[in-house]
Structure formats: C-alpha cells, structure tokens
Amino acid sequence: MHTPAPTTGARPPATAYDAVLCDLDNVVRYYDLTRVTALEQAAGLPEGTTAGLAYDPGLDLPLLLGRITPEEWAEAITAGLTDRVGPERARELGRAMAEAPSRADETVVALLRRVRERVPLVLVTNATLRLHDDLAALGLGDLADHVVGSAHEGVAKPDPAIYRIAAARAGVRVDRCLFVDDRQENVDAALALGMTGVLFREPADLHGPFGFGRTDGRTGGG
C-alpha cells in the first residue's frame, strides 16, 4: 500500500505516477451558499441546517447516482424543511440550495493544466447528470482528458469501482495513479487499491506531489 505523497515541495521521482485522478468539489469547484445562509437567518434556522439535510446520504446519494434529478432533490429538501419553516420558505431554501452558484479555484486549475502536460488527468467526482454542462459553464470543459462522474457511471466514491473506471480511462494501472481528494475516506479507498493519495486542504498541498515546488503564486486554499 502506498502512503500519501509528500507535500514538502520536493519533486517526486519521474516514475512516481503515470496519471492524476482528481476530485472536483472542494478541490477545483466551490459552491457559494451565501443566499442559503441568508434565507436560514430570515427563517430562524441555524446556519448549515439546509446543507445538513441536503447532503445527508438519504437525499444526496440518489442525486449523485443519477436516480433523481436536481429538481427532485430540491423538492426533497423542501419537504424536509416544511414542518420547520412553512412551505413557502422551505421552497425558497430548496431552490436556493439546488441553484447555488459555484466558482473554480484558478490556482488549482493552473496546477492541473500544468500536470496534464506531463500525464493524463481524469476528474473523478460524485456529481449530478449536469456535470458536463456545469464544467462548461465554469470554462473547464477542456480541463481534463476524461471526466468520470458518479451519476453517469452509477457508482460513487469511495466505491472501488469508480477508481478502477478512472484508471482505465487514463489507460494506466491503478497503482500508477496519483489520487487527490478533500475527503479522507475517499483517499483511503484509493490507497487500498495501491494508488498514491493526497488529502487536499489547499493548493500548496499539490506542489510537492505534482513536482512543481512552491513557485505557483499564492498558497492559500478556498
């Protein structure tokens, strides 16, 4: 089993990996829940109530496996909040959650574009059937060589199957992949398959594993 790649800025051996598999959300893409928070405050709900409901596996996993649409997900959020805030406010919160805007971290995007010049890059993400449209809207349609989304594949991280699919799309053995994710359980699943794993917290975490040192501008995350 491989251990997580060092993040000290040291260049890894040229043979350390033959492909990079990278998560999307909270690594490349970030959602802005400012409107959701404002609506919660107006309704007297604790901040994070809506997200806690929306991301509960009972609601979230069917969406990420393509079994329900984002519209149905918003309706389920609404149903879960109606008893607490009434139908109108619950509907506003459900819609705001489903339509939350997102942005790309340009520092991470730049690092990924550089690493793709050396090896294949595959985005591996638990995401909805709108994934490709979402990437195009962010200007990231050409970021990776391949995109492996849970809703399209019918399997989600940390299931080993989605990692094997991603490695196959890259055309390399699983033990020749470097995997990047912000969730420890997803990194652990990659390590169990023999991949090199990087737990992401900020862009600087990628400099060493990617072999770029610390010459890529800012090092803060977010």
Side-chain angles (χ1 to χ4, degrees):
M1 180 183 299
H2 290 258
T3 56
T7 58
T8 60
R11 189 180 187 87
T15 57
Y17 55 87
D18 296 324
V20 170
L21 314 183
C22 186
D23 182 30
L24 178 65
D25 290 326
N26 298 318
V27 177
V28 181
R29 176 174 67 177
Y30 291 82
Y31 282 98
D32 181 359
L33 299 182
T34 302
R35 174 162 169 71
V36 175
T37 299
L39 289 171
E40 287 174 336
Q41 291 174 344
L45 286 177
E47 182 178 342
T49 298
T50 307
L53 174 65
Y55 294 141
D56 180 271
L59 259 62
D60 196 35
L61 193 56
L63 174 71
L64 298 178
L65 291 177
R67 296 171 184 168
I68 63 173
T69 65
E71 292 77 17
E72 290 171 323
W73 183 59
E75 290 171 5
I77 297 169
T78 298
L81 293 172
T82 295
D83 287 346
R84 300 186 64 175
V85 299
E88 184 175 345
R89 279 182 165 170
R91 192 173 301 109
E92 280 187 307
L93 282 162
R95 188 179 300 116
M97 191 72 199
E99 297 174 356
S102 63
R103 65 172 179 84
D105 186 306
E106 295 302 329
T107 299
V108 174
V109 169
L111 288 168
L112 291 175
R113 291 195 187 281
R114 287 183 62 192
V115 82
R116 187 185 171 197
E117 295 174 358
R118 299 203 311 236
V119 296
L121 171 66
V122 182
L123 293 179
V124 190
T125 178
N126 290 349
T128 75
L129 290 170
R130 294 179 177 175
L131 174 60
H132 294 283
D133 289 340
D134 290 346
L135 289 172
L138 288 170
L140 302 180
D142 64 345
L143 177 62
D145 294 285
H146 303 281
V147 178
V148 175
S150 59
H152 290 91
E153 303 300 336
V155 62
K157 295 178 295 185
D159 190 311
I162 197 167
Y163 299 83
R164 295 190 178 100
I165 291 169
R169 299 276 169 84
V172 304
R173 301 196 319 258
V174 293
D175 64 345
R176 299 295 300 165
C177 293
L178 176 71
F179 177 80
V180 179
D181 202 287
D182 69 303
R183 297 178 67 98
Q184 185 66 57
E185 60 265 37
N186 293 339
V187 174
D188 289 343
L191 294 173
L193 289 172
M195 295 182 178
T196 299
V198 176
L199 180 63
F200 180 89
R201 288 291 177 263
E202 61 179 11
D205 295 335
L206 302 179
H207 295 162
F210 284 3
F212 297 150
R214 294 184 179 271
T215 60
D216 301 285
R218 71 176 178 85
T219 59

